[in-house]
Amino acid sequence: MSLDQLYQQIILEHAKERHGNGLDAGVEFPAGAASGQSHQLNPTCGDEITVRVSVAGGKVSDLRWDGEGCSISMASASVLTELAEDLDTAELQRIIDSFREVLRSRGKVAADPEILGDAAAFEGVSRYAARVKCAMLSWVAAEDALTQALGRQES
């Protein structure tokens, strides 16, 4: 199996088995947790997503999402959920920044699987400008929700 085929398989699996999908799942937050929520829409294709990030003790205690859209946007949200679990907030921001750099490079920046894990599967998307927004949608929402949660934690 080639690397491209493996990456396609990862995207298809995450599109079917959506990790973290469902904002109303009965998640209990640790004492002192702060959360933020962001809704993002891709007007080009109609994909939309809402991401909620909860932070406690400098770590992501929960990342949940709900949305509708293409396989790329839904799989990207699923992969993000898996990556974000128990990360410290600065590390999540570094991963978001790395993902953004790869996707906006138009194929010039290779994804580092050591940093991005399964999110490296979206490297090929960078060559298709119309699909970059699909893959980035949940990541932009997560970044906004993280900023909100951190702001609430400081208050």
Side-chain angles (χ1 to χ4, degrees):
M1 178 180 280
S2 76
L3 189 58
D4 283 341
Q5 289 172 322
L6 175 64
Y7 282 171
Q8 287 175 356
Q9 187 64 33
I10 289 169
I11 291 170
L12 290 173
E13 286 174 11
H14 275 278
K16 281 178 154 169
E17 298 292 326
R18 298 175 178 182
H19 301 262
N21 188 9
L23 292 174
D24 295 326
V27 176
E28 290 186 31
F29 300 113
S35 65
Q37 183 169 302
S38 179
H39 180 80
Q40 299 291 319
L41 171 68
N42 182 348
T44 307
C45 65
D47 290 358
E48 61 182 299
I49 194 157
T50 301
V51 174
R52 183 182 308 135
V53 176
S54 295
V55 173
K59 291 189 177 271
V60 175
S61 59
D62 190 55
L63 189 150
R64 308 285 303 165
W65 63 275
D66 191 24
E68 292 296 325
C70 68
S71 293
I72 289 174
S73 65
M74 300 296 99
S76 186
S78 177
V79 168
L80 171 61
T81 301
E82 281 194 340
L83 281 172
E85 286 183 18
D86 297 321
L87 283 181
D88 71 45
T89 57
E91 182 62 19
L92 177 56
Q93 186 61 58
R94 281 191 292 275
I95 290 171
I96 291 170
D97 291 343
S98 178
F99 189 72
R100 178 181 287 117
E101 179 185 22
V102 169
L103 284 187
R104 292 187 175 166
S105 75
R106 299 200 181 257
K108 293 182 175 88
V109 175
D112 184 345
E114 292 294 316
I115 295 170
L116 294 175
D118 280 355
F122 295 90
E123 176 182 337
V125 172
S126 70
R127 294 186 298 270
Y128 306 98
R131 306 306 283 175
V132 168
K133 285 183 181 181
C134 298
M136 282 297 305
L137 198 61
S138 59
W139 296 70
V140 169
E143 184 174 44
D144 183 35
L146 178 63
T147 300
Q148 291 174 33
L150 292 172
R152 288 184 179 118
Q153 203 168 42
E154 293 171 2
S155 301

